């Protein structure tokens, strides 16, 4: 019987993989569903003991993978890990099989992935840059043979290389960048390299200015602003739901919007007044226009401001079933591991919902003049108008005073509190005090007056504010009271000593800490006699953040003799939790003071818990050891 002769493989083999296994591996990689590419990475790793991208690109060259890819994860792996020997021709092998709309990958889940041009994921941009650097002529030559979406993606790279591209394509790219950035942002610190003299130059989208610099390659800033405004006017509800983190991305669109449109976009959405006044600062609305709009809001609410554009209802994209596969292992058979059902139920075709069965949403009525956010709109407009009138040396109408009600003033929005305090001062003492007293007379929200007690300083007004806070159920808002200047500290300390409620006493002590911390940060000096009112037991160490760091920064900035006096003066205040003093130690603390502080800690040794001493002890270095050992001595607390 004649011997069978071995048939030469149809392509170069890789390692110990047989032709059969390579074919099966390529098919499996194309079928895998995993948007992040982890499954692709794991599967490749089973067949390599080194860089698995070498195997992946070998499979590409052999025509065994990326011919019918079902997942963005495969393209992500191809784009992130490109060996140096990958040529433009290798990349072109991949490009020939990229779908027209890559958002359909992973059963539609790829619609959530980032794109720089319509329908093409950013991993393709990485491949195109790599190929362009090696053979730009080859990329230009293949461009007309590819789908339109890929042609646009290639033009995106060519323009970044300094080439002139078709104006219509430029507009398509500009529109996509503007709308994508408005919708979700183009990514944080993403590298979108330029190509200069045949080399890739890192260009990170570190901020919105960098995004605009990229966009200006494809059109003027005015066109960008117009596209964003068009996008905004059709998506009022969406914008209102994400103003705080979305408004900066669309500031150019908001800058050119009509004032009525701008106010309707903010409307009764989720925003802080500091955000609105920051946007107004970028615009050139006249004081008259601002005050007229404020009066209209207070009279009629949002109804007269309604945007006339048709609204696009955001529909949540619906993907197919699970992306898990039954078996991610290697294959010893013909590579067929079962069919993948990529079909949707008929009622969810094209990734949309069941439009016929969904009820039309009723249009909600616009918020009226009594709505607190509508009033906040009017107040914000009035603050900016007051500033602009004063800057021009013009009189400030008496009607402005009525729009200042403080209802939505929060310590978490310091930009606005500072602006409102400044505007109130511009009214002059009599009018400013009248506004504060009007707020104090409210049955609720009267506590907001705490942030303005010392505006056009008058001891009588300060006393009225503090007395009203004493009588309130909840006491003072320490952070809000902390916006006042040092001149008010003595009065606050007197009230703290007089109130019976220990919670209110602590609130006042906390407020004094914030007042002096803010003064220290702003370089404002105060009478050293006020130092004795600093209350280290009122520092919110459990909260952390600015509530703690600002006070510690103030303590660190005090002259050493004043700092030492503050710590010694707080021994009694911190008697129950003396470890709070350890958290306030600074690097130059005298050894004698360390002895006193550590001795105080040992009086409550039984309550000392892990981590209670904080981490500022590290700043003292080895010199902290002797006073610690002297304090511990032979007490049972040595083990702690």
């Amino acid at each position: 019987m004649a011997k069978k002769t071995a048939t030469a493989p149809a392509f170069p083999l890789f390692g110990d993989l047989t032709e059969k296994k390579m074919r099966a591996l390529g098919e499996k990689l194309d079928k895998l569903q995993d948007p992040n590419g982890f499954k692709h990475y794991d599967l490749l790793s089973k067949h390599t003991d080194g860089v698995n991208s070498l195997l992946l690109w070998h499979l590409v060259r052999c025509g065994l993978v990326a011919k019918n890819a079902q997942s963005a994860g495969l393209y992500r792996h191809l784009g992130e890990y490109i060996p140096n020997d990958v040529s433009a021709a290798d990349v072109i092998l991949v490009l020939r099989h990229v779908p027209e709309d890559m958002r359909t990958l992973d059963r539609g889940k790829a619609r959530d992935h980032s794109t720089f041009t319509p329908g093409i994921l950013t991993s393709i941009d990485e491949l195109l840059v790599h190929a362009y650097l090696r053979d730009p002529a080859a990329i230009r030559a293949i461009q007309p043979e590819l789908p339109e979406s890929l042609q646009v993606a290639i033009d995106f790279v060519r323009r970044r290389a300094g080439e002139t591209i078709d104006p219509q394509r430029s507009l398509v790219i500009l529109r996509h960048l503007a709308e994508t950035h408005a919708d979700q942002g183009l990514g944080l610190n993403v590298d979108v390299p330029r190509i200069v003299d045949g080399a890739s130059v890192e260009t990170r989208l570190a901020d919105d200015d960098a995004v605009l610099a990229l966009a200006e390659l494809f059109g003027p800033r005015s066109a960008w602003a117009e596209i964003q405004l068009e996008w905004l006017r059709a998506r009022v509800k969406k914008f209102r739901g994400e103003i705080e983190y979305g408004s900066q991305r669309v500031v150019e669109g908001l800058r050119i919007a009509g004032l009525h449109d701008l106010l309707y976009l903010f409307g009764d959405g989720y925003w802080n007044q500091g955000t609105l006044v920051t946007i107004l600062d970028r615009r050139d609305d006249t004081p008259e226009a601002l005050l007229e709009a404020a009066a209209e809001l207070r009279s009629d609410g949002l109804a007269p401001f309604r945007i006339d554009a048709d609204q696009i209802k955001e529909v949540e994209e619906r993907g197919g079933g699970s992306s898990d596969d039954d078996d991610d292992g290697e294959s010893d058979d013909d590579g067929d591991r079962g069919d993948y059902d990529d079909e949707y139920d008929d009622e969810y075709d094209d990734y949309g919902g069941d439009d016929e069965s969904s009820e039309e949403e009723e249009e909600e009525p616009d918020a009226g003049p009594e709505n607190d956010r509508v009033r906040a709109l009017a107040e914000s407009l009035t603050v900016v108008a007051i500033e602009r009138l004063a800057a021009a040396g013009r009189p400030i109408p008496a009607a402005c005073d009525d729009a200042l009600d403080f209802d939505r003033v929060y310590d978490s929005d310091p930009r606005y509190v500072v602006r409102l305090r400044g505007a109130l001062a511009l009214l002059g003492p009599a009018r400013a005090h009248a506004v504060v007293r009007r707020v104090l007379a409210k049955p609720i929200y009267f506590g907001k007056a705490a942030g303005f007690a010392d505006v056009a300083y008058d001891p009588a007004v300060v006393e009225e504010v503090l007395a009203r806070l004493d009588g309130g159920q909840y006491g003072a808002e320490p952070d809000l009271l902390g916006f006042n200047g040092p001149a008010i500290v003595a009065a606050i300390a007197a009230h703290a000593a007089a109130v019976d409620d220990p919670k209110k006493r602590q609130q006042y002590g906390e407020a004094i800490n914030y007042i002096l911390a803010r003064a220290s940060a702003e370089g404002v000096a105060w009478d050293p006699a006020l130092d004795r009112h600093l209350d280290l037991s009122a520092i919110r160490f459990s909260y952390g953040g600015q509530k703690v760091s600002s006070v510690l920064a103030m303590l660190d900035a005090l002259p050493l003799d004043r700092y030492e006096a503050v710590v010694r003066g707080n021994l009694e205040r911190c008697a129950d939790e003396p470890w709070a003093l350890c958290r306030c130690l600074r690097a130059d603390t005298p050894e004698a003071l360390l002895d006193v502080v550590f001795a105080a800690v040992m009086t409550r040794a039984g309550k000392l818990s892990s981590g209670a001493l904080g981490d500022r002890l590290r700043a003292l270095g080895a010199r902290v050891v002797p006073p610690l050992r002297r304090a511990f001595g032979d007490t049972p607390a040595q083990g702690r």
Side-chain angles (χ1 to χ4, degrees):
M1 187 172 178
K3 267 184 165 187
K4 285 187 179 180
T5 57
T7 306
F11 39 74
L13 300 182
F14 188 95
D16 59 359
L17 288 174
T18 65
E19 179 179 352
K20 183 178 181 181
K21 285 187 175 182
M22 285 180 63
R23 291 185 184 279
L25 178 59
E27 290 182 15
K28 178 62 176 176
L29 287 166
D30 272 358
K31 286 183 178 180
L32 274 180
Q33 300 278 325
D34 179 7
N36 293 311
F38 297 140
K39 290 184 177 181
H40 302 84
Y41 182 90
D42 289 343
L43 180 57
L44 286 163
S45 296
K46 293 177 181 179
H47 302 285
T48 62
D49 55 4
V51 182
N52 58 27
S53 58
L54 296 175
L55 172 55
L56 179 58
W57 279 99
H58 183 76
L59 293 172
V60 168
R61 293 186 185 103
C62 296
L64 300 177
V65 76
K67 299 187 76 171
N68 188 28
Q70 302 298 304
S71 175
L74 180 64
Y75 291 106
R76 179 174 183 174
H77 199 65
L78 285 164
E80 284 185 352
Y81 307 101
I82 311 177
N84 288 330
D85 66 344
V86 171
S87 67
D90 296 331
V91 172
I92 288 171
L93 290 174
V94 175
L95 298 179
R96 289 188 180 280
H97 301 284
V98 171
E100 170 80 22
D101 184 355
M102 297 181 75
R103 299 174 304 165
T104 60
L105 296 170
D106 296 294
R107 301 189 176 105
K109 293 179 183 176
R111 289 176 180 270
D112 297 330
H113 287 226
S114 299
T115 60
F116 295 136
T117 57
I120 299 298
L121 303 181
T122 56
S123 53
I124 299 301
D125 185 75
E126 294 169 332
L127 291 171
L128 288 171
V129 169
H130 179 91
Y132 188 94
L133 289 171
R134 278 147 183 79
D135 193 346
I139 294 301
R140 286 192 290 265
I142 193 66
Q143 186 175 6
E145 302 175 23
L146 299 173
E148 176 65 17
S149 59
L150 268 176
Q151 293 188 44
V152 174
I154 290 172
D155 275 345
F156 183 57
V157 174
R158 292 177 59 188
R159 184 72 189 100
R160 281 147 54 207
E163 291 192 41
T164 299
I165 63 173
D166 179 83
Q168 289 303 312
R169 291 251 179 90
S170 223
L171 180 59
V172 167
I173 294 170
L174 181 69
R175 177 170 291 278
H176 184 82
L177 291 174
E179 292 180 346
T180 300
H181 194 56
D183 185 28
Q184 60 194 20
L186 285 172
L188 178 64
N189 209 27
V190 175
D191 182 25
V192 187
R194 307 285 174 88
I195 299 172
V196 181
D197 296 330
S200 176
V201 177
E202 183 179 283
T203 309
R204 296 206 166 266
L205 301 184
D207 51 36
D208 294 284
D209 287 339
V211 171
L212 277 172
L214 171 66
E216 285 178 321
L217 291 174
F218 303 94
R221 184 170 296 204
S222 59
W224 170 275
E226 289 165 4
I227 293 168
Q228 286 204 326
L229 178 57
E230 179 186 338
W231 184 93
L232 281 165
R233 295 184 81 252
R235 293 169 177 83
V236 173
K237 184 175 181 180
K238 178 179 176 62
F239 177 71
R240 286 182 181 177
E242 54 188 37
I243 292 173
E244 280 306 297
Y245 56 88
S247 59
Q248 184 57 38
R249 299 196 303 261
V250 293
V251 68
E252 290 299 312
L254 295 173
R255 186 180 58 79
I256 68 167
L259 182 58
H260 273 55
D261 281 0
L262 173 73
L263 296 174
Y264 194 76
L265 282 164
F266 273 75
D268 57 353
Y270 300 99
W271 49 274
N272 290 320
Q273 287 173 271
T275 301
L276 177 57
V277 296
T278 300
I279 296 296
L280 290 171
D281 288 344
R282 303 285 293 269
R283 299 165 51 91
D284 57 2
D285 304 289
T286 65
E288 289 79 9
L290 296 172
L291 293 177
E292 182 181 344
E296 197 170 4
L297 286 165
R298 295 177 63 220
S299 171
D300 302 317
L302 287 174
F305 295 77
R306 176 178 283 274
I307 285 176
D308 57 6
D310 291 336
Q311 296 301 297
I312 296 174
K313 291 182 171 61
E314 300 294 326
V315 179
E316 184 178 350
E317 304 295 351
R318 180 183 176 94
S322 169
S323 64
D324 293 335
D325 294 276
D326 294 332
D327 184 0
D328 291 346
E330 65 186 77
S331 171
D332 288 324
D333 54 25
D334 61 2
D336 184 7
R337 288 188 173 267
D339 295 331
Y340 288 79
D341 182 9
D342 290 334
E343 296 299 324
Y344 291 97
D345 293 334
D346 289 342
E347 71 240 70
Y348 291 109
D349 279 348
D350 299 323
Y351 311 105
D354 184 358
D355 293 332
E356 292 183 359
S357 64
S358 63
E359 295 182 8
E360 188 70 28
E361 290 184 26
E362 278 190 34
E363 194 171 52
E364 296 180 6
D366 288 317
E370 72 289 343
N371 182 278
D372 62 345
R373 286 191 175 89
V374 172
R375 295 198 308 273
L377 283 172
E379 183 182 75
S380 302
L381 293 172
T382 304
V383 165
V384 177
I386 290 172
E387 293 171 340
R388 294 183 181 179
L389 287 168
R394 298 171 55 193
I396 300 170
C400 291
D401 305 14
D402 295 335
L404 306 179
D405 63 17
F406 304 172
D407 282 3
R408 287 190 58 80
V409 169
Y410 300 106
D411 60 81
S412 59
D413 191 10
R415 293 174 300 175
Y416 185 68
V417 177
V418 170
R419 297 283 288 272
L420 182 51
R421 282 173 55 86
L424 195 63
L426 292 171
L427 299 180
R431 291 169 64 180
H433 296 156
V435 171
V436 171
R437 287 185 167 115
R438 172 165 50 80
V439 173
L440 276 181
K442 293 181 178 183
I444 59 173
Y445 297 132
F446 62 84
K448 303 294 186 180
F452 310 89
D454 73 337
V455 173
Y457 186 78
D458 182 333
V461 175
V462 170
E463 189 61 29
E464 288 179 49
V465 172
L466 296 178
R468 183 77 164 102
L469 297 177
D470 289 347
Q473 181 179 355
Y474 302 107
E477 293 184 46
D479 301 85
L480 202 51
L481 196 54
F483 281 94
N484 293 277
I488 199 177
V489 168
I492 295 176
H495 277 261
V499 294
D500 295 326
D501 187 340
K503 181 180 178 182
K504 291 182 180 179
R505 279 200 302 273
Q506 186 182 49
Q507 288 173 335
Y508 280 137
E510 189 180 346
I512 290 172
N513 290 346
Y514 297 150
I515 288 171
L516 296 184
R518 184 177 292 276
S520 177
E522 294 173 356
V524 176
W526 63 85
D527 184 347
L530 299 180
D531 294 353
R532 63 191 176 91
H533 299 305
L534 285 166
D535 187 351
L536 304 189
S537 71
I539 300 177
R540 294 287 192 171
F541 288 110
S542 60
Y543 288 14
Q546 186 68 13
K547 288 180 180 292
V548 176
S549 62
S550 63
V551 179
L552 294 181
M554 176 265 297
L555 293 174
D556 288 345
L558 284 175
L560 182 58
D561 59 333
R562 290 172 62 183
Y563 163 76
E564 183 171 357
V566 168
V567 175
R568 290 182 181 275
N570 274 271
L571 287 168
E572 185 177 348
R573 287 192 185 106
C574 298
D576 288 338
E577 295 183 347
W579 39 85
L581 300 171
C582 293
R583 291 176 171 269
C584 298
L585 294 175
R586 63 191 216 187
D588 61 350
T589 303
E591 189 164 335
L593 182 55
L594 294 178
D595 282 328
V596 171
V597 169
F598 294 148
V601 170
M602 292 311 298
T603 64
R604 293 290 188 273
K607 294 183 178 180
L608 189 60
S609 61
S610 175
L613 300 183
D615 57 6
R616 282 169 69 90
L617 290 177
R618 295 192 186 96
L620 282 80
R623 72 186 191 87
V624 77
V625 176
L628 272 174
R629 293 186 67 180
R630 286 194 294 271
F632 288 170
D634 296 325
T635 68
Q638 287 186 59
R640 293 178 181 268

